[in-house]
Amino acid sequence: MAKNRMSGVIPLGIGNLVHLEDLEFAGNHLHGVIPEDIERLQNLKFFTLEENLLSGGIPASFGNLTQLLTLVLSNNELNGSIPENLGSLHRLTSMTLSFNRLTGAIPGVIFSLSSLTDSLLLSHNYLSGVLPPQIGSLKHVTTLDLSKNNLSGEVPGALGDCKFSILISR
């Protein structure tokens, strides 16, 4: 259902589609919050909501989507912090949360996801704090973009062992 002119909110009953593996609402005019009952989509592998007008936080229940391979929530108006339990998505190969209003520190467990082999894109937010030493665990990711945030401190030495394109600018 991507790239249509759909508007409105994501229906609250979306969690009833328990056998769904691919949910793509990218490039629409959806607004409101992401419903908590999405956690019931235990077979979900691809979840794409980029380029909408979604607000509110990223539901902590996303950590229950353990089959998820791709999570794309970029280009929305999401706020709050990145839920720590996204670190339990041990099959995730790509996470894109860029161009939102996310705040707080990046949870170290995100950098410990050895399954991230494609990309981790967190640019253009209001993320702050220092980069945790766990960032050195991202040895297989091809692109890491943390640019246009409010990160501070030194770049961890563990990055020297990584082989990916990295963007860390203000």
Side-chain angles (χ1 to χ4, degrees):
M1 292 191 262
K3 300 205 180 204
N4 285 291
R5 293 187 177 129
M6 293 189 302
S7 60
V9 298
I10 299 171
L12 291 176
I14 195 118
N16 294 331
L17 304 172
V18 294
H19 298 291
L20 199 63
E21 291 186 12
D22 189 349
L23 180 58
E24 297 189 33
F25 282 125
N28 284 295
H29 301 286
L30 300 174
H31 63 276
V33 299
I34 301 170
E36 286 281 341
D37 72 341
I38 283 181
E39 75 173 304
R40 296 179 57 210
L41 303 178
Q42 295 295 305
N43 295 316
L44 200 60
K45 293 184 173 118
F46 304 96
F47 189 41
T48 306
L49 288 174
E50 69 183 325
E51 297 178 18
N52 280 289
L53 303 168
L54 297 167
S55 58
I58 299 171
S61 60
F62 273 26
N64 297 330
L65 300 174
T66 57
Q67 300 303 307
L68 207 57
L69 300 173
T70 302
L71 176 62
V72 182
L73 302 176
S74 59
N75 293 289
N76 279 290
E77 298 175 11
L78 299 172
N79 56 47
S81 60
I82 298 172
E84 181 115 3
N85 66 357
L86 290 184
S88 64
L89 300 177
H90 296 290
R91 298 188 69 205
L92 201 64
T93 61
S94 176
M95 182 188 314
T96 306
L97 306 178
S98 299
F99 292 95
N100 279 294
R101 298 177 179 165
L102 299 173
T103 58
I106 303 169
V109 294
I110 299 298
F111 295 120
S112 297
L113 286 171
S114 61
S115 60
L116 284 172
T117 55
D118 185 16
S119 58
L120 176 58
L121 309 176
L122 304 176
S123 70
H124 294 84
N125 279 292
Y126 301 97
L127 299 169
S128 58
V130 298
L131 293 175
Q134 292 97 321
I135 195 169
S137 299
L138 291 177
K139 295 191 187 309
H140 305 289
V141 72
T142 56
T143 305
L144 172 64
D145 189 351
L146 305 174
S147 63
K148 305 297 181 184
N149 279 293
N150 297 316
L151 300 170
S152 59
E154 293 186 20
V155 176
L159 277 178
D161 298 331
C162 299
K163 298 173 177 63
F164 53 77
S165 300
I166 183 169
L167 300 168
I168 307 176
S169 66
R170 285 189 186 252

